[in-house]
Amino acid sequence: MPTKRKQQKKLVRLISALSDMADSIHAADMILGGAPAELNQHLFASMVVSYGRPFTENYGVGCIQGDYPAYPDFGDSEMTVRHQRLLDLRHKFIAHSSAEGTRVLIIPPNVENPLGISPTSSFDFNIGKRIFPDQRYVEWLRVAPAALKIRLHTDISQLLSETFGTDSALRASFELPTGHENFQWS
């Protein structure tokens, strides 16, 4: 049986992951709900980064892969594809600058810019970053954080009961210890 401290650490990790899934779903829902088009790429980045947080090593909370070593294990091969696409998007395009997702076009002096900008006497450039927030794609990807959110909620409820359910001394809300100080600027 895990120690109470280990169970509390797991609770922090799972509750943090649940919050991340809620953020991911909220960003997707804003895109699908008709957010202004100029916000879609930012919302998509939020959706992808929020989904990926629990699956990457992070400061103090830990990766949920140890809690769910076979994830995604829904028996649905498409769920595995969704999960991997979200992580690929995070790692290769959104959370890090990527040569795969970047194109730079150099415009020499006195050459017309393909964007219809008049020639200039100095070098110029256009940069293109790959974007993804097609609504059908967002809708398809949204299924992954929604499914994980349901699983996390169920597992958290069970773990809370196992960890604190028999403690008759609990008479008020309390903060779950993280083992770390509150955020400090570097």
Side-chain angles (χ1 to χ4, degrees):
M1 175 87 169
T3 66
K4 191 170 190 174
R5 176 69 191 120
K6 282 187 178 186
Q7 286 177 304
Q8 290 176 348
K9 184 77 171 168
K10 182 176 179 176
L11 276 166
V12 168
R13 189 169 43 257
L14 296 183
I15 291 170
S16 178
L18 179 70
S19 175
D20 291 333
M21 292 309 106
D23 289 346
S24 181
I25 292 164
H26 185 246
D29 288 347
M30 289 182 72
I31 294 169
L32 297 171
E38 62 270 12
L39 297 179
N40 283 354
Q41 186 61 27
H42 302 291
L43 290 167
F44 189 73
S46 178
M47 175 190 158
V48 171
V49 169
S50 293
Y51 180 82
R53 274 188 200 128
F55 298 100
T56 57
E57 212 36 63
N58 44 57
Y59 186 70
V61 174
C63 175
I64 68 168
Q65 213 63 56
D67 302 306
Y68 301 107
Y71 189 84
D73 54 358
F74 291 97
D76 173 0
S77 63
E78 198 156 310
M79 188 65 79
T80 301
V81 174
R82 284 180 176 98
H83 170 76
Q84 195 54 54
R85 293 273 163 84
L86 281 160
L87 293 183
D88 282 349
L89 285 164
R90 182 202 179 279
H91 300 325
K92 294 181 179 183
F93 295 104
I94 294 175
H96 308 281
S97 291
S98 164
E100 287 180 73
T102 304
R103 295 294 179 260
V104 177
L105 181 66
I106 303 298
I107 300 102
N110 304 313
V111 172
E112 186 173 334
N113 188 313
L115 296 178
I117 300 169
S118 298
T120 64
S121 60
S122 60
F123 277 97
D124 200 1
F125 62 90
N126 297 337
I127 185 165
K129 296 278 189 169
R130 187 166 187 166
I131 58 172
F132 294 90
D134 174 275
Q135 289 217 349
R136 290 169 296 160
Y137 194 50
V138 170
E139 199 171 288
W140 181 78
L141 289 172
R142 185 192 178 281
V143 174
L148 181 54
K149 183 181 175 199
I150 292 167
R151 176 177 289 175
L152 286 165
H153 193 274
T154 300
D155 292 351
I156 289 165
S157 295
Q158 181 180 343
L159 190 54
L160 282 168
S161 292
E162 290 172 6
T163 306
F164 302 110
T166 59
D167 192 343
S168 60
L170 296 177
R171 301 274 184 241
S173 58
F174 59 96
E175 187 171 340
L176 199 55
T178 63
H180 293 273
E181 297 296 319
N182 287 333
F183 174 77
Q184 300 290 316
W185 291 106
S186 300

